[in-house]
Every structure is written in C-alpha cells, then in structure tokens.
Amino acid sequence: MKKRIKITALLLAVSLVLSGCADNAVTSSATDSSTETSATQSEVESKDEASSSKSEVESKDESSATESETQKPEETPAPETTTTQTTTNAPETESKDETSMNETQTQKPEEKPDADPVYSAMVDRSLMELGNLQRMKKFFEKLEKGEEVTVAFIGGSITEGMTAGAELCWAKLTYEALCEQYPNAKINYVNAGMSGTPSILGNIRAGRDVLCHNPDLTFVEFAVNDGGEQDYKDSYEALVRTLLEQEDSPAVALYFTVIKSGHTCEKHMSEIGRAYGLPMVSLNNVLSVEFESGRMKWEDYSDDESHPNVWGHEMTKDLIMNMMNKAKAKIDEGGIGEVEAIPEKWVNNDRYYGMKYFDDANPLDGFTMIDTGSFSGEGDTIQQFPNGWAAKIVPTDAKPMKFTFTGKTLMMVYKCVKSQRGGSLKVTVDGKVTGTYSTQANDGWNNPVAVQVFTGAEGVHEVTIELVDKDGKLIVADILGFGVC
C-alpha cells in the first residue's frame, strides 16, 4: 500500500484509540501516423525539468506499442528522447511491453480506500473552479453517445511522465480512467508533454503537436516550467486562446503543479483561467495543507525536486478525475448556459498570438529559405527536432543562413550544449543586428531553447544568421526551427 495511505491510516487509528472509539473500529485502435514533438524554450525554468520529448502516435488496436523515452529530474541534464502518444481505448489484450522513461516499468500502485476522509479532503481541495462548462458538456455528450473523442495533454516533464514512465503518468492514467467510465466511446490519447520546456515553446509547437489531432479536450500544464516574466504570461495566454479558438469549441482545462522550492505560476495562470472561464486544478492546494499539518512531507509525493513519484502521478489522476466527475454532475443538473464567447480583451499581451512553427520539413506560408549556408538540413539535430539545420565547421569557413519571413515576431529554437565547442549565432534582421546567442551553457544537455530574436512592424523581413568565430577552432551550432507570428 502506498506510503501516503499508510501515514493516513496510522493517524486515523491513533485518533480513534485516543477518543475511546477504537472498538468501533483506447478498444484501442491507434492512429498509424506519428507526430514529432518540438521542444520548447527553457530560458528561466528549463532547469526545473530535464529531458526532452518526441511525439509519436500510439495505437491501442495494435498488439503492442513501443516508446523510447529517457528522462531525468528537471534540474539534471538529460538525453534527447521522449514521446508524444496518440491512443484510443484499448482492449484488455493490449501489450504493455513499453519501457518507461529512464527506468524500468514500475508496478501500478494499490488502489486507495475510498472511505479515507483525509485523502478525500485532499482531492476535494484541489478543485479551484469549474468555470463555464458548456464546452465540457459537449465533450461528455460525445462520450455518452459512444462517439470518437480526442483528449490531449501538453506540458513539461510532469506531463510527459517523469519519473513514473509513459504508462503510469497522470495523463495516461486519466485517459484510462475515462476509458473505464465510457467503454463504448472511442477515446484518442495525445501526450504532448516535453521535458524542460515552458509555454513559450508550447505555444510555438501547439499546432504540430496538439492541434493537428483536433482535440475535444486539452489539459495544459506549465506552472513549474514557466517564470513570472511577461514573455511567459503572454505565451501562456496565447496558447490557451489558440486551443479554445479551434473549430467545434473544444474544452480546455488547466492543471497547476508545484515543485519542492514552492515555485509555481498558478497565480498569474489562474487569472487567465478565470478570464476564459476554464476548469482549474491546483496541486499546491493539496500539498501545502498536508505539509503544514505534518501528515505528509515532500518525499511522500516526489523522489526528486520536481516530479511526482508513481503514487504522485496516481494521486494527480484522482485530482483531475475529481474535477471531471464534479463537472459532469453539475452539467447533469442543468443550467450550464451557452458557450461563453472568448473575451476580446487580453489579460496580458497578444504579441505571441498566432505563432506558427517552421523547420526544414514543415513549410510555412510567408517563410522563404534563400540559403542555408553552412547549416545542413542533413545533419543530426535532436530527436524532437530532427528537421533542423546543424553546423560543424571552422568559423572562418562558415557561410550564413539567409531567409525572409512575413510577420511581426520571429522566435529561434536552438540546441543548447554543455560543450565548449558550442558556437554563437549572430542574428541580423533588415540589416540590423538584433542579438548574438550562445548555444553553450554550463547546464546545457542538448535541450531546445527558444528565444525571441525580432519583434517589430508587420511585414516582410530579411534575416541573416551567422556563426561567430570562437578562437578559430571547430565549433558546432544547431538551429532546430523557428516560430513566426
């Protein structure tokens, strides 16, 4: 039985003795297509997570599914492999031979006693708001009719599944709980979690990794990867609004996590959630009370500084399903009203709204590559961004990349390395140098980093990216892709 439940049971038993009452004592048919997950920027909070993800489509009609994922704690350098899955309710015979990320598959924890009042109170506290449920009502109606729906999850390594693995992460467990409640529905599962990445990159890659699956419901989790700077606030709101504005008015729900240090962006993210009338779930509402009461300590929930352990992922699923079940109960009571219009006024700034991703395999209207220079599209970049441009050359022989784009803002995604051979990228837009960006960092682990390299007037802009000389010796620099809006 789980550590947390043991602790709760012991406390209840002691209480009873002292009071003199002790005597009363997805039929899975998986999509064959595979989606490659781009990785996001980790400027401030990338240290909170440390592995990267690649999207992959997982089918539960198949006899087995395969995933290669390597993950490490958020503050530790990690290798470059992760996965995004798309699944439909799976039959009992589905093979479970998938390997968990960076560790062997762990057995699913024991079920909790439903009668545990302490645990029930924990779960109830997690629900911040249900918001406007008209979008969720449409989702439940499709489930009850046995129709096909898609549930997507986007976030960092907590969503990706670290440290429990792809099969025991909260996203997969939530999907399985929905499959159990609605066995006649065809439920597709998309996990677009990617380690070490904040909403800045989540906003850039949303179209490729989530929206291409036309989700009916998307959960967003970036509260510990983001920072309090305006870039994060603007990107998070742009992502939320973009998800909501898709056809058929899909539902969106927000999940706010917290790490051991207490860092969470729940405050400014919940302001966005309220403005858009979204269901919101808070982990901090659960853990802070338990820690203060002494009933729990951080190590009961996590094996590192950031990520839930197997029990923590199981508990998270319970928090999410509590919200879902209460939403359904309220919907059944009636009086939900019409779908609320997306507010015209932004909580923050719209500067990252409409962001589109571009790389060597994903063309974009208004983006024209003139010359890749010394950056080869045939070189290895990283698994989540296999279609970028890699350079490995003596700087004196290097030739610049040149292209044009139409828009007002340009984001560049590059691979950050620990090696001293990591070169710098000098960006010039419309003849003016906008910045020089080192691809080397002491805490780099081949992770993707996204930076804004230009913002200005809407129009066609000419861009040149040069490798900066580094003592005349061999250097490496990988451009993984661009975000344009």
Side-chain angles (χ1 to χ4, degrees):
M1 182 172 289
K2 306 176 217 168
K3 259 191 297 189
R4 175 70 195 87
I5 300 306
K6 286 183 177 179
I7 294 170
T8 301
L10 179 58
L11 289 170
L12 290 174
V14 170
S15 175
L16 289 170
V17 170
L18 292 177
S19 63
C21 299
D23 294 339
N24 298 326
V26 221
T27 298
S28 179
S29 71
T31 325
D32 289 354
S33 57
S34 125
T35 313
E36 306 221 314
T37 317
S38 23
T40 57
Q41 160 185 9
S42 51
E43 291 177 296
V44 175
E45 293 298 331
S46 64
K47 292 183 184 178
D48 289 334
E49 305 192 55
S51 54
S52 41
S53 316
K54 178 181 178 183
S55 53
E56 128 186 21
V57 180
E58 172 190 293
S59 173
K60 286 197 169 185
D61 262 335
E62 301 172 334
S63 58
S64 65
T66 314
E67 302 177 356
S68 290
E69 305 185 284
T70 306
Q71 300 182 320
K72 292 189 178 182
E74 293 183 342
E75 298 186 355
T76 307
E80 316 168 352
T81 55
T82 41
T83 63
T84 297
Q85 320 160 21
T86 311
T87 321
T88 25
N89 335 6
E92 299 279 334
T93 56
E94 178 190 7
S95 168
K96 297 255 181 182
D97 59 356
E98 302 179 5
T99 53
S100 11
M101 298 169 274
N102 201 31
E103 46 182 60
T104 55
Q105 190 72 22
T106 313
Q107 290 298 314
K108 205 167 186 177
E110 297 177 28
E111 293 298 322
K112 299 166 301 300
D114 292 335
D116 185 339
V118 176
Y119 189 83
S120 296
M122 288 168 54
V123 172
D124 286 341
R125 278 200 312 274
S126 70
L127 180 58
M128 293 183 69
E129 294 183 18
L130 287 175
N132 179 279
L133 293 173
Q134 189 62 47
R135 291 169 179 265
M136 198 71 82
K137 179 182 178 183
K138 291 176 58 180
F139 174 73
F140 282 117
E141 286 174 347
K142 294 180 75 171
L143 288 175
E144 290 177 328
K145 293 176 182 177
E147 297 179 4
E148 182 175 1
V149 299
T150 296
V151 182
F153 302 80
I154 185 169
S157 61
I158 291 175
T159 293
E160 184 185 35
M162 206 168 141
T163 55
E167 288 301 295
L168 294 181
C169 69
W170 72 272
K172 188 65 176 289
L173 296 177
T174 298
Y175 155 73
E176 290 175 346
L178 288 170
C179 291
E180 184 177 350
Q181 287 190 11
Y182 299 93
N184 296 324
K186 182 180 180 183
I187 306 177
N188 301 314
Y189 167 66
V190 177
N191 189 334
M194 185 179 294
S195 295
T197 60
S199 63
I200 295 175
L201 194 45
N203 183 48
I204 294 174
R205 66 187 178 90
R208 189 188 69 176
D209 297 340
V210 175
L211 299 179
C212 61
H213 299 290
N214 299 314
D216 298 274
L217 169 62
T218 302
F219 290 92
V220 182
E221 175 270 313
F222 281 112
V224 300
N225 292 63
D226 279 15
E229 293 82 358
Q230 197 61 42
D231 282 359
Y232 294 102
K233 295 177 181 180
D234 294 346
S235 294
Y236 188 81
E237 184 171 5
L239 171 62
V240 168
R241 183 179 282 254
T242 298
L243 293 170
L244 289 168
E245 285 187 340
Q246 302 308 299
E247 288 186 31
D248 300 325
S249 299
V252 174
L254 309 181
Y255 177 48
F256 307 131
T257 49
V258 64
I259 60 176
K260 188 175 183 179
S261 68
H263 171 71
T264 176
C265 292
E266 176 181 302
K267 185 178 184 298
H268 74 248
M269 290 179 172
S270 62
E271 292 173 359
I272 294 170
R274 289 187 187 94
Y276 290 84
L278 305 181
M280 297 184 287
V281 177
S282 166
L283 175 66
N284 194 47
N285 283 358
V286 175
L287 297 185
S288 60
V289 175
E290 296 308 302
F291 295 161
E292 185 176 350
S293 70
R295 289 188 294 262
M296 278 183 70
K297 55 184 183 296
W298 177 260
E299 289 71 24
D300 294 324
Y301 165 77
S302 172
D303 295 330
D304 57 35
E305 301 293 311
S306 309
H307 308 94
N309 54 26
V310 171
W311 179 81
H313 277 280
E314 176 79 13
M315 181 191 70
T316 299
K317 177 265 297 183
D318 291 341
L319 308 185
I320 300 300
M321 290 308 298
N322 173 65
M323 180 276 288
M324 296 293 287
N325 292 333
K326 287 186 175 177
K328 180 64 167 61
K330 185 174 180 180
I331 289 168
D332 289 343
E333 292 173 1
I336 302 304
E338 299 299 322
V339 176
E340 287 189 351
I342 296 173
E344 292 185 10
K345 184 177 180 180
W346 286 65
V347 176
N348 295 287
N349 190 291
D350 67 352
R351 59 178 168 158
Y352 296 139
Y353 176 65
M355 189 73 68
K356 300 292 190 302
Y357 179 73
F358 170 85
D359 64 18
D360 199 38
N362 292 277
L364 181 66
D365 288 343
F367 195 113
T368 303
M369 182 62 71
I370 299 171
D371 188 355
T372 60
S374 297
F375 297 89
S376 171
E378 299 177 357
D380 292 333
T381 48
I382 62 177
Q383 188 175 3
Q384 311 93 310
F385 293 91
N387 301 307
W389 301 269
K392 185 176 182 181
I393 194 169
V394 174
T396 53
D397 297 331
K399 296 179 181 179
M401 172 185 285
K402 297 179 181 180
F403 61 85
T404 63
F405 79 94
T406 302
K408 65 181 186 298
T409 300
L410 177 67
M411 306 284 289
M412 178 174 67
V413 185
Y414 64 85
K415 180 171 76 173
C416 184
V417 299
K418 189 173 184 178
S419 169
Q420 293 299 316
R421 292 297 94 208
S424 294
L425 302 168
K426 183 171 73 173
V427 180
T428 302
V429 182
D430 299 333
K432 180 180 179 181
V433 176
T434 61
T436 299
Y437 307 90
S438 174
T439 66
Q440 188 277 333
N442 291 334
D443 58 354
W445 41 270
N446 294 338
N447 53 300
V449 174
V451 291
Q452 176 185 294
V453 296
F454 172 79
T455 186
E458 178 80 24
V460 178
H461 302 282
E462 299 180 355
V463 181
T464 299
I465 301 178
E466 301 173 77
L467 284 164
V468 177
D469 193 348
K470 187 167 186 174
D471 60 33
K473 296 180 180 179
L474 183 72
I475 62 172
V476 295
D478 293 356
I479 299 173
L480 304 179
F482 298 95
V484 178
C485 67

